[in-house]
């Protein structure tokens, strides 16, 4: 463990703030591993005064960074991706140590960082505007995109490095600077990533404050980001209540925000679908990252004619789940992030039972060397009862029946959240209906694959209480830039639009 930490620049005691130099004069926090309760390191949070200085330096760095040609900014992002490649194994091990996801998932998360850097490098030469015809003779209309400013990135514990990279790689090629406030549950991975970015920026001769860091509680450091007008865009990943709070504060100052909030993701299993595909997709979607993904499968809506067979086979898969130290390749599921997450899962199971749900299996605590382990749980429910409509960030899966496909879509859409969804069917009419305006109301809708495992090439995000934000691929880059419309007159005369004349 010490070798991993040392190779990534993590000491026994670490300052939690960076904008060209490392600072940390606030309260210290001890970081323990959910694998076994072992202490990893301590981190000194930043004070409000240190935060103000960090933001001032990030804001000043923007003035120079925005003038660097976008392809040159892309070269910096390419170098960050290369540095991530060199550190992939050790950074993945740190993700596993600090957050508890399996090592194979940790490696996948770092690969996602590398992939978004590659995507952003190409994007640095494709920040396209448009030209449009003008109604006036001798005029031309165009739109172009300019760098926006400081981007405040507030991330959650479950993807402690990937979400930062989604925002950072895109924002950097767009000419923005980054101020990162990570989850207090996973500060060490944030320090490691900031050190990687610092090295690359220094090697290129750029101000390392372009990628700055401020570790602290959301109620103080997070709110300083949300309320400061020097932060042009806030990208927040977290809970629905947290998103409501962030959205209100940022909107009050007319700032921009990206909200990536809760998911209550469902898979519809049609009697016309492939049962093997359904079982595999749902199994990983439900237990991957110990059910702590925003895209984790929470609900399964199964046609009544195959419900008994499906349920029996899914339980058989669950009983084979190897739970334990996520660093060991034979284990498919590791711990939850902390003891509070285990208690929250147990409380949710108790509530859904009181509302008429029947636990088919799981939900028992496990004793593994002081870690936060619990067995994944399957609960049979009569539909979207109150507890089912809430997102429990844990491996709890709700099963329900449907009779008609329209009924299944109504159940899929009948929750407040709208992130990810899927249908397992070989019937083209069912799949097309699911993808149509009359189908899934989610930001992500998949056919014959699960709800998790989004690729960086597509824009990521959801609707309703999921917040409406979009990150990563496609044209999500536009939110990180300032749109400008231009009218260019080359006629030699002044002509007004809409046919208005002005006699002088």
């Amino acid at each position: 463990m010490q070798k991993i930490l040392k190779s990534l620049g993590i000491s026994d005691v670490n300052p939690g703030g960076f904008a060209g130099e490392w600072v940390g004069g606030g309260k210290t926090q001890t970081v323990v591993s959910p694998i076994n309760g072992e202490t990893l390191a301590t981190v000194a949070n930043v004070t409000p005064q240190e935060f103000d200085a960090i933001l001032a330096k990030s804001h000043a760095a923007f003035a120079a960074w925005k003038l660097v040609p976008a392809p040159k900014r892309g070269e910096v992002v390419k170098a960050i991706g290369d540095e991530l490649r060199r550190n992939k194994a050790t950074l993945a091990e740190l993700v596993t140590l600090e957050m508890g996801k399996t090592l194979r998932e940790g490696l996948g998360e770092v690969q996602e960082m590398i992939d978004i850097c590659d995507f952003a490098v190409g994007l640095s030469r494709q920040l396209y505007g448009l030209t449009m015809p003008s109604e006036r003779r001798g005029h031309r209309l165009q739109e172009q995109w300019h760098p926006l400013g400081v981007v405040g990135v507030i991330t959650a514990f479950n993807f402690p490095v990937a979400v930062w990279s989604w925002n950072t790689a895109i924002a950097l090629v767009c000419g923005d600077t980054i101020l990162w406030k990570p989850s207090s549950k996973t500060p060490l991975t944030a320090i490691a990533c900031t050190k990687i970015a610092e090295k690359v920026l220094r090697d290129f001769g750029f101000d390392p404050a372009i990628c700055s860091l401020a570790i602290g509680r959301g109620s103080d450091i997070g709110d300083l980001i949300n309320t400061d007008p020097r932060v042009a865009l806030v990208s927040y990943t977290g809970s629905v209540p947290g998103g409501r709070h962030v959205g209100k504060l940022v909107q009050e100052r007319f700032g921009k925000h990206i909200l990536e909030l809760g998911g209550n993701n469902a898979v519809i299993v049609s009697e016309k679908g492939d049962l093997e595909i359904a079982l595999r997709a749902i199994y990983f979607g439900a237990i991957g990252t110990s059910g702590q993904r925003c895209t984790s499968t929470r609900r399964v809506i199964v046609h009544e004619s195959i419900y008994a067979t499906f349920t029996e086979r899914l339980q058989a898969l669950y009983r084979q789940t190897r739970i334990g130290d996520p660093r060991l390749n034979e284990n498919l599921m590791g711990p939850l992030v902390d003891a509070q997450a285990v208690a929250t899962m147990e409380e949710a199971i108790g509530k859904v039972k009181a509302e008429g749900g029947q636990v088919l299996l799981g939900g028992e605590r496990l004793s593994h060397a002081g870690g936060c382990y619990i067995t994944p749980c399957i609960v049979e429910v009569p539909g979207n009862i109150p507890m089912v409509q809430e997102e429990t960030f844990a491996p709890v899966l709700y099963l329900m029946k449907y009779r008609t496909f329209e009924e299944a879509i109504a159940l899929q859409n009948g929750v407040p959240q709208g992130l990810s969804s899927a249908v397992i069917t070989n019937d083209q009419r069912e799949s097309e209906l699911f993808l149509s305006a009359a189908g899934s109301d989610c930001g992500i809708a998949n056919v014959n694959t699960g709800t998790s495992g989004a690729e960086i090439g597509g824009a990521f995000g959801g609707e309703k209480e999921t917040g409406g934000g979009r990150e990563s691929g496609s044209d999500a880059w536009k939110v990180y830039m300032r749109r400008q419309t231009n009218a260019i007159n080359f006629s030699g005369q002044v002509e007004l639009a809409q046919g208005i004349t002005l006699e002088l």
Side-chain angles (χ1 to χ4, degrees):
M1 183 187 74
Q2 292 301 322
K3 183 179 179 181
I4 295 168
L5 297 174
K6 184 177 180 181
S7 69
L8 292 170
I10 306 297
S11 306
D12 291 338
V13 180
N14 303 273
F18 177 77
E21 61 179 353
W22 288 90
V23 297
K27 293 182 179 179
T28 59
Q29 58 171 311
T30 301
V31 184
V32 300
S33 175
I35 297 172
N36 51 22
E38 184 176 356
T39 295
L40 299 176
T42 61
V43 175
N45 293 345
V46 298
T47 65
Q49 294 76 20
E50 288 169 337
F51 170 83
D52 186 70
I54 289 169
L55 177 53
K57 291 178 180 178
S58 181
H59 192 258
F62 169 67
W65 181 244
K66 69 180 180 181
L67 302 180
V68 176
K72 295 296 183 183
R73 300 193 295 252
E75 291 177 11
V76 174
V77 173
K78 180 180 184 299
I80 291 174
D82 290 341
E83 197 67 23
L84 288 170
R85 283 184 175 89
R86 283 187 283 272
N87 289 277
K88 179 178 176 178
T90 50
L91 185 56
E93 289 180 279
L94 179 56
V95 168
T96 295
L97 279 171
E98 189 174 37
M99 184 266 155
K101 65 175 58 178
T102 62
L103 183 55
R104 72 188 76 187
E105 289 186 86
L107 289 165
E109 180 169 356
V110 181
Q111 185 61 49
E112 195 166 7
M113 302 174 76
I114 296 166
D115 292 343
I116 196 64
C117 287
D118 289 346
F119 179 91
V121 173
L123 178 65
S124 69
R125 294 180 180 271
Q126 300 178 76
L127 302 174
Y128 299 133
L130 298 172
T131 58
M132 296 150 281
S134 173
E135 67 187 61
R136 293 171 284 182
R137 294 177 183 273
H139 286 66
R140 178 172 62 85
L141 294 180
Q142 70 175 29
E143 71 172 21
Q144 57 182 344
W145 298 85
H146 293 303
L148 186 62
V150 177
V151 175
V153 182
I154 303 175
T155 58
F157 73 86
N158 59 326
F159 280 84
V161 294
V163 174
W164 170 76
S165 69
W166 288 359
N167 287 274
T168 297
I170 303 300
L172 287 179
V173 299
C174 289
D176 304 325
T177 56
I178 308 298
L179 173 55
W180 185 12
K181 195 211 86 65
S183 167
S184 294
K185 297 179 181 181
T186 52
L188 300 182
T189 46
I191 292 171
C193 289
T194 300
K195 286 180 179 289
I196 287 172
E198 175 191 6
K199 176 185 182 302
V200 171
L201 288 163
R202 290 192 189 280
D203 287 348
F204 274 80
F206 290 117
D207 186 347
I210 289 168
C211 286
S212 56
L213 178 70
I215 296 174
R217 290 169 53 89
S219 57
D220 44 51
I221 299 304
D223 279 354
L224 290 176
I225 291 174
N226 298 327
T227 56
D228 199 303
R230 291 174 292 181
V231 180
L233 169 67
V234 177
S235 176
Y236 172 83
T237 302
S239 68
V240 172
R244 291 188 197 280
H245 177 73
V246 171
K248 180 180 179 181
L249 292 180
V250 176
Q251 186 59 44
E252 282 180 346
R253 62 176 177 84
F254 296 103
K256 298 176 70 175
H257 59 62
I258 302 170
L259 299 179
E260 296 288 0
L261 312 178
N264 197 348
N265 316 297
V267 178
I268 297 172
V269 182
S270 168
E271 79 279 20
K272 301 170 185 176
D274 187 318
L275 196 59
E276 297 299 328
I277 289 177
L279 287 164
R280 289 177 177 272
I282 291 164
Y283 179 61
F284 176 76
I287 73 160
T289 321
S290 301
Q292 297 171 118
R293 292 183 176 218
C294 52
T295 56
S296 289
T297 304
R298 309 284 180 205
R299 300 175 296 138
V300 182
I301 305 162
V302 187
H303 192 270
E304 60 184 7
S305 67
I306 60 170
Y307 183 84
T309 300
F310 173 85
T311 302
E312 181 181 347
R313 292 193 59 186
L314 184 64
Q315 289 181 78
L317 275 178
Y318 265 59
R319 291 189 183 98
Q320 297 172 20
T321 304
R322 296 184 297 276
I323 304 170
D325 190 328
R327 294 169 294 184
L328 302 178
N329 194 52
E330 64 264 26
N331 291 326
L332 297 179
M333 182 174 149
L336 271 64
V337 70
D338 56 23
Q340 181 56 52
V342 175
T344 298
M345 176 173 168
E346 292 176 323
E347 182 181 359
I349 293 170
K351 287 182 178 179
V352 78
K353 286 169 66 177
E355 294 173 2
Q358 179 184 354
V359 175
L360 300 182
L361 59 73
E364 300 99 5
R365 288 193 187 220
L366 298 174
S367 177
H368 284 308
C372 304
Y373 297 88
I374 192 168
T375 59
C377 184
I378 299 175
V379 186
E380 189 175 62
V381 294
N384 290 326
I385 56 180
M387 193 60 206
V388 173
Q389 296 191 45
E390 298 182 24
E391 180 192 34
T392 301
F393 216 60
V396 181
L397 184 67
Y398 301 118
L399 301 185
M400 60 191 79
K401 302 175 185 177
Y402 79 89
R403 180 168 297 174
T404 68
F405 196 70
E406 289 73 17
E407 177 191 358
I409 291 175
L411 285 168
Q412 142 67 39
N413 294 343
V415 294
Q417 308 84 359
L419 178 54
S420 187
S421 59
V423 63
I424 308 298
T425 183
N426 289 324
D427 186 307
Q428 184 177 7
R429 286 180 294 182
E430 286 187 340
S431 64
E432 292 295 337
L433 176 59
F434 182 75
L435 299 177
S436 75
S440 170
D441 63 0
C442 294
I444 299 170
N446 298 330
V447 176
N448 291 329
T449 188
T451 60
S452 62
E455 299 181 34
I456 58 94
F460 180 87
E463 302 300 324
K464 301 189 293 187
E465 287 190 359
T466 301
R470 293 296 186 275
E471 294 172 325
S472 195
S474 186
D475 66 347
W477 62 270
K478 291 181 178 179
V479 76
Y480 300 91
M481 302 199 80
R482 175 169 59 87
R483 185 196 299 254
Q484 185 180 80
T485 301
N486 313 123
I488 300 98
N489 177 10
F490 57 92
S491 70
Q493 304 177 48
V494 175
E495 181 179 350
L496 303 180
Q498 291 85 47
I500 299 171
T501 59
L502 178 63
E503 301 294 338
L504 296 179

